[in-house]
Amino acid sequence: MQISTAWRRIARVFLPFAAGYYLSYLFRTINALIASHLSSDTGLGTADLGLLTSVYFLVLAVAQIPVGLLLDHFGPRRVQSVLLLLAAVGGGLFSVSTGFLSLLIARAMIGLGVAAALTAGLKSIILWFPRERVALLNGYMIMLGSLGAVTATAPVEHLLTSMGWRQLFEILAVATATTAILIYLVVPERSAAPSTASATLSSVFSDRRFWRMAPLSATCIGSAWSLQGLWASPWLTDVEGFDRASLVSQLFIMSIVLSAGAWLFGMTVHYVKRRGIGAETILAMVAVLFIAAEFALILRASLPSILPWSVVAIVGTATVVSFAVIADYFPPELAGRANGALNVLHFGWAFLAQYATGLILEQWSANDGHRPVQAYQVAFGLNVALQIVTLLWFALPWFRAFASWVGSISLDMSASAFEPVESVGLYENSAILLPRDDDAEW
């Protein structure tokens, strides 16, 4: 009976919300594949294309906290179904738009319509499933949702051989509306806990530990979304010289890596935390690896391009790590609000990075439709510079602790030079206490 109940909850709660998140990821990444079609059919420039794609992230960032309030008040079933209907209308408008402004409005409607796609799913898991299963199901939710990025490569390319991008968005609009109706009719209702939004948000935004890790998480994860969601395609075409088939193949591999990344990070965090290692260490390692991959691209290292681009893809799912850090910083009753606050920065940075990259690339003239490698090196390089700054800021407590430790050893060694030899044994058995950093608990 228990197994039957569990599978009913999977079918009636988990899978409908996973379908909504899948569609949001498909909408997020599809412009990378249809970018050339959009440019040729509507006459969009590089900067216009960057703004059109990135406005999705801007709306997501602005909507995160209001959506969280709505989820607490009305529950995920009603909020997600209503918002997905708005996304369906936006998809339909996008399919018939011919000018930049109408395309921009349609893209913004899609972004607002999927603003609750992940948070509604995560909240439904908390409401309907045992606490010990929440982390596991969160990982599966993100993994299944990221399959939307897989669909936005080879499968969509296959569809584009028999239909245009406008017909494709008509199909997406119908699928989104169907999912909205399915969630409303199939998902059972369960009341949410009363909201304490004002107090918890104040607690999150006034916590200095949050402002240590949030800039690093945002600049890395947001940049990864920006690159895979749009600029990977122009880079591979303009810099690597890929033809259409090679481009689709590489984007497909990146999307597979992206999907596997959520599962990999979830297992890694679970493994290292059982051994007493904080999730901050993993976040720092992810940032170093991401910066190294970007340097490999910028410096044109003699590596297969799929290697650094796979790192870019996998960093896009490092939200699993960031949420684990948040769970270490805040008690359970604050973790949801803290995740929402962090998502504001994730989506906000993705918007800035995606739009700014287009503006920078626009400063170089195109030769036969291709931008020079120097344009991409400057655009990507500025992003990496900011990531390095946020990494140093994040690691500042470690630097302070190490400096204090080295200083305490030097003082002890200096003092021991004036003491009898017998005191060495006492020194070896003594404990050295490091000063506690008020900014973070590491």
Side-chain angles (χ1 to χ4, degrees):
M1 179 65 181
Q2 292 180 350
I3 296 179
S4 176
T5 300
W7 280 108
R8 281 202 301 270
R9 290 183 178 180
I10 291 290
R12 296 186 61 191
V13 178
F14 179 82
L15 291 180
F17 283 105
Y21 188 49
Y22 163 86
L23 288 169
S24 77
Y25 232 114
L26 179 54
F27 279 122
R28 180 191 303 183
T29 55
I30 195 171
N31 276 15
L33 191 70
I34 66 171
S36 59
H37 298 281
L38 281 173
S39 297
S40 60
D41 291 351
T42 61
L44 296 179
T46 305
D48 289 340
L49 185 61
L51 178 59
L52 175 64
T53 305
S54 63
V55 73
Y56 175 99
F57 291 115
L58 176 62
V59 175
L60 279 174
V62 173
Q64 285 305 296
I65 292 177
V67 163
L69 297 174
L70 292 173
L71 287 172
D72 282 340
H73 188 72
F74 296 105
R77 167 180 164 268
R78 284 181 283 181
V79 173
Q80 179 73 315
S81 58
V82 171
L83 287 180
L84 283 181
L85 285 177
L86 178 62
V89 174
L93 177 61
F94 199 91
S95 68
V96 299
S97 297
T98 57
F100 173 70
L101 181 59
S102 59
L103 287 168
L104 189 69
I105 293 173
R107 180 75 173 170
M109 290 176 63
I110 294 172
L112 180 59
V114 300
L118 177 59
T119 51
L122 298 183
K123 189 171 184 66
S124 70
I125 291 173
I126 293 174
L127 290 175
W128 283 99
F129 293 91
R131 182 179 179 84
E132 62 273 13
R133 297 289 182 181
V134 167
L136 178 64
L137 289 171
N138 285 351
Y140 283 137
M141 175 74 70
I142 296 175
M143 181 186 71
L144 293 175
S146 61
L147 290 176
V150 178
T151 307
T153 56
V156 167
E157 177 70 4
H158 179 72
L159 288 176
L160 289 176
T161 60
S162 57
M163 67 178 68
W165 62 270
R166 296 185 184 278
Q167 289 73 31
L168 176 63
F169 268 83
E170 290 174 359
I171 294 175
L172 289 177
V174 172
T176 304
T178 302
T179 304
I181 296 172
L182 179 70
I183 289 174
Y184 188 81
L185 295 178
V186 172
V187 175
E189 190 67 58
R190 174 166 288 188
S191 60
S195 174
T196 57
S198 58
T200 56
L201 284 175
S202 175
S203 300
V204 171
F205 286 124
S206 63
D207 195 302
R208 285 178 290 181
R209 296 171 303 170
F210 177 83
W211 292 111
R212 286 284 188 200
M213 65 82 62
L216 179 65
S217 182
T219 54
C220 289
I221 295 173
S223 295
W225 291 346
S226 166
L227 292 172
Q228 182 160 11
L230 180 60
W231 298 119
S233 177
W235 169 281
L236 293 172
T237 302
D238 295 349
V239 178
E240 304 288 346
F242 279 25
D243 58 21
R244 184 70 180 179
S246 300
L247 169 65
V248 174
S249 176
Q250 179 130 324
L251 291 176
F252 179 75
I253 295 173
M254 288 173 61
S255 62
I256 292 293
V257 173
L258 172 72
S259 182
W263 176 84
L264 175 63
F265 279 133
M267 294 298 294
T268 302
V269 170
H270 177 71
Y271 178 83
V272 301
K273 292 189 73 173
R274 288 180 61 185
R275 283 151 181 78
I277 302 174
E280 303 97 335
T281 305
I282 304 176
L283 182 60
M285 293 172 62
V286 168
V288 171
L289 185 62
F290 184 50
I291 291 170
E294 290 174 295
F295 269 124
L297 292 172
I298 293 169
L299 301 177
R300 308 289 289 119
S302 57
L303 296 170
S305 65
I306 189 59
L307 294 181
W309 279 113
S310 292
V311 173
V312 171
I314 202 171
V315 171
T317 61
T319 48
V320 177
V321 180
S322 299
F323 292 158
V325 176
I326 289 294
D328 289 339
Y329 287 172
F330 300 100
E333 60 269 20
L334 294 180
R337 296 297 180 186
N339 288 339
L342 184 59
N343 267 339
V344 171
L345 300 180
H346 285 159
F347 292 126
W349 184 259
F351 162 75
L352 291 175
Q354 204 165 69
Y355 181 41
T357 298
L359 289 177
I360 294 172
L361 294 178
E362 194 86 334
Q363 305 310 307
W364 278 263
S365 59
N367 184 15
D368 294 331
H370 301 292
R371 305 283 173 182
V373 64
Q374 292 84 359
Y376 291 96
Q377 288 172 326
V378 171
F380 288 14
L382 291 175
N383 213 4
V384 172
L386 290 171
Q387 291 160 15
I388 293 174
V389 171
T390 59
L391 177 60
L392 294 175
W393 173 251
F394 177 72
L396 187 60
W398 287 335
F399 294 147
R400 288 177 176 173
F402 179 76
S404 299
W405 178 70
V406 172
S408 65
I409 290 179
S410 300
L411 290 174
D412 288 341
M413 291 180 64
S414 299
S416 65
F418 300 98
E419 295 176 357
V421 176
E422 289 78 3
S423 65
V424 174
L426 294 175
Y427 169 75
E428 290 176 347
N429 294 326
S430 64
I432 300 175
L433 299 178
L434 299 181
R436 183 174 182 268
D437 193 299
D438 291 333
D439 288 341
E441 296 177 2
W442 297 93

